[in-house]
Amino acid sequence: MGSVIGDLLPLAVGVAVSPIPIIAAILMLLSKRAGSTSIGFALGWVLGIVVATVIFVLLSSSLQKSDDEPSVVVSWIKLALGVLLLVFGAIQWRGRGGEHATPKWMQAIDDMTAAKGFGLGFALAAINPKNLMMCIAAGISIGSATLPTGQVVVAIAIFAVIAASTVCVPVIGYLVAADRLRTPLAQLKVWLQSNNTTVMSVLILVIGVVLIGKGIGGL
């Protein structure tokens, strides 16, 4: 169990520091429907992480060999995910200093309803390629470890809590002390837009190398 949690921590942090959902959550908290939209977004974000992870826990469990050794297929999947993350990280690193246009869906956040916020949160967690690859890697790490059902549930919960924390904590904090958090949230949004691409690209590169190492080690 301990080794699995150790594998999950960098992946969870990789999802947690993803700038797009954090910026989207902050924009919702500064919008005219701050409460309902941000709660819907946070719920969708958590559910998307859990669903994507659980799917690949089940898939990787079915690929596991009966002798409890990591299957070759699982190792190749980890290797492929590591290579893809290296590619994504390199692309992000090369584009870290450029100007980036604001996506149209971000411009429409001020008029979003709770239902649309939920759908957006789910999509960013379960469909966005970078976050999805982290969830796939987490699911494979859990599913290939042949843990008892209770420990599998705990591992998924730990991953989801850490991965979703950077979206959920600001939402909960805003509901408790909205007036005091408006200015810090606006400042955080500006900082993320300026710096998080660099941080994220380095983290993705590191996680990619780790996954490649684990994939090669299981072949």
Side-chain angles (χ1 to χ4, degrees):
M1 178 68 174
S3 62
V4 173
I5 299 301
D7 290 342
L8 294 178
L9 288 178
L11 298 170
V13 171
V15 177
V17 302
S18 182
I20 299 300
I22 301 174
I23 293 172
I26 293 173
L27 289 174
M28 289 178 187
L29 292 172
L30 300 176
S31 70
K32 58 188 179 184
R33 295 191 184 98
S36 61
T37 307
S38 62
I39 291 173
F41 180 79
L43 292 174
W45 176 246
V46 173
L47 183 62
I49 291 170
V50 172
V51 169
T53 305
V54 167
I55 288 173
F56 287 94
V57 167
L58 298 174
L59 289 175
S60 61
S61 295
S62 68
L63 295 173
Q64 186 70 17
K65 294 196 300 187
S66 59
D67 59 1
D68 291 341
E69 290 295 327
S71 74
V72 174
V73 175
V74 169
S75 297
W76 277 111
I77 292 173
K78 288 182 179 180
L79 184 58
L81 286 173
V83 172
L84 287 173
L85 285 172
L86 283 181
V87 172
F88 271 107
I91 292 172
Q92 280 204 315
W93 178 262
R94 292 185 63 184
R96 67 192 184 282
E99 293 291 330
H100 303 283
T102 303
K104 290 184 179 180
W105 61 264
M106 276 193 180
Q107 298 173 10
I109 279 179
D110 196 51
D111 296 317
M112 275 188 179
T113 61
K116 289 182 178 179
F118 178 89
L120 178 61
F122 186 90
L124 288 177
I127 300 175
N128 178 277
K130 284 172 289 186
N131 292 334
L132 178 58
M133 281 191 287
M134 303 284 189
C135 291
I136 292 173
I140 289 173
S141 295
I142 297 170
S144 62
T146 62
L147 298 173
T149 302
Q151 292 186 10
V152 169
V153 172
V154 171
I156 293 171
I158 290 173
F159 174 75
V161 167
I162 297 173
S165 61
T166 50
V167 167
C168 293
V169 169
V171 171
I172 295 170
Y174 188 86
L175 295 175
V176 175
D179 293 337
R180 278 187 273 176
L181 286 179
R182 282 187 177 274
T183 300
L185 285 173
Q187 293 172 343
L188 176 60
K189 179 177 75 72
V190 172
W191 187 90
L192 286 172
Q193 289 174 324
S194 301
N195 300 287
N196 207 271
T197 300
T198 301
V199 176
M200 188 67 185
S201 61
V202 172
L203 186 59
I204 288 176
L205 288 169
V206 172
I207 294 173
V209 171
V210 171
L211 284 175
I212 288 174
K214 289 185 176 297
I216 293 174
L219 294 175

